[in-house]
Amino acid sequence: MRILVTGATGQIGSELVPALREVYGRDNVVASSRRRHGSLGDPFVELDVLRRDELERVVRDYKIEAIVHLAAVLSAKGEQDPALAWDVNTNGTINVLEVARANKVEMVVIPSSIAVYGPETPDNPGDIAVMRPKTIYGISKVVTELLGEYYYSRYGLDVRGPRLPGVISWKTPPGGGTTDYAVEAFYEAVKRREYTFWVRPDTRLPMIYMPDTIRAFLLLMKADSSSLTVRFYNVQGMSFTARELADTIRKFIPEFKADFKPDPLRQRIADSWPKSIDDSRARRDWGWKPEWDLESMARDMIENLRRVLVGSG
Ligand code: SER
């Protein structure tokens, strides 16, 4: 399968592209983003998903059979410029879907987000639950899900995706998310032994470690279409409060000092999201099961960040 990945230099893409190249072969995975940076090798093309003509040219030139569409503006950044977030997230998505449909692309994979949920969502929501998000990012992801379902039922285009919680990783920093404190805390703990969280200590959110995230993408992409009962699937690795995260970091870095200064915007976003999500349908339909919990993730994050940031094991 020849795959095009948009937003490939971001937090997820920079790890998903190498994993896809392992499975599908280097030359079969074309990485793309607006500007080339980071360590992804070729094949790589500079591509803005808002340019439908360029997207179409790449899909034709490389005989693309599947698109993994990662390019998006996340929740906190989206609130700084809602019009831009709407443009990139919804028009980027419709461009991908239209080009896919018109060029007989077989599969389109788009991650959704816990941001589709809102304060009216019941606790521990399943895949089909009340979605009345209060962020432009969440609104655009609801639209993405609905468009994906529409292109599937209207045109038979196989659109599918994991609905992700906060993604924690050490290779490429995330940008613009509300949940990014769970990544920054590790960087700062390793570099400075202190961190000021932008949420209250009792703020609990669902999270997932990158290796589980990558596995979720690969499993879902391999799943037989006949086994899928929805197009977007909750996946969760763990759920913890900011204080539990700080306490766990302290098990490995005893001097770690955590402060909590809630930032009103990001606290409001965090408070509007569910504390955990029900991923039992993904477990049933395509064998999803997370392998990393808070403690094993924290150990691995700290070991790796010590190696890359301060050069000692
Ligand atoms: N990590 C994302 C964010 O905070 C959630 O999808 O925006």
Side-chain angles (χ1 to χ4, degrees), residues 74-76 112-115 137 164-167 176-180 273:
L74 296 196
S75 62
S112 185
S113 161
I114 53 164
Y137 174 62
L164 297 171
V167 177
T178 300
T179 55
D180 296 355
W273 290 349

Side-chain angles (χ1 to χ4, degrees), residues 14-65:
S14 62
E15 301 204 39
L16 184 58
V17 167
L20 289 171
R21 285 178 172 164
E22 251 334 89
V23 176
Y24 295 95
R26 158 165 286 276
D27 290 342
N28 289 327
V29 181
V30 181
S32 75
S33 72
R34 249 173 353 127
R35 263 184 309 278
R36 185 164 195 164
H37 61 91
S39 58
L40 286 177
D42 289 320
F44 188 100
V45 286
E46 287 197 346
L47 175 64
D48 182 341
V49 291
L50 293 177
R51 302 285 305 271
R52 191 183 292 185
D53 49 343
E54 283 179 22
L55 177 63
E56 181 139 43
R57 187 178 45 75
V58 171
V59 165
R60 287 188 178 157
D61 285 357
Y62 286 90
K63 300 187 171 48
I64 293 299
E65 294 159 311

Side-chain angles (χ1 to χ4, degrees), residues 34 39 62 79 106 118 120 184 225 252-253 259 268-269 303 313:
R34 249 173 353 127
S39 58
Y62 286 90
E79 294 312 295
E106 287 160 31
E120 291 106 336
E184 271 191 22
S225 192
F252 303 99
I253 304 176
D259 280 322
R268 191 157 24 107
I269 297 175
E303 269 173 25

Side-chain angles (χ1 to χ4, degrees), residues 209-225:
Y209 195 32
M210 185 61 88
D212 275 338
T213 309
I214 301 298
R215 238 166 20 82
F217 271 95
L218 297 178
L219 277 173
L220 180 54
M221 286 174 73
K222 285 261 188 227
D224 201 285
S225 192

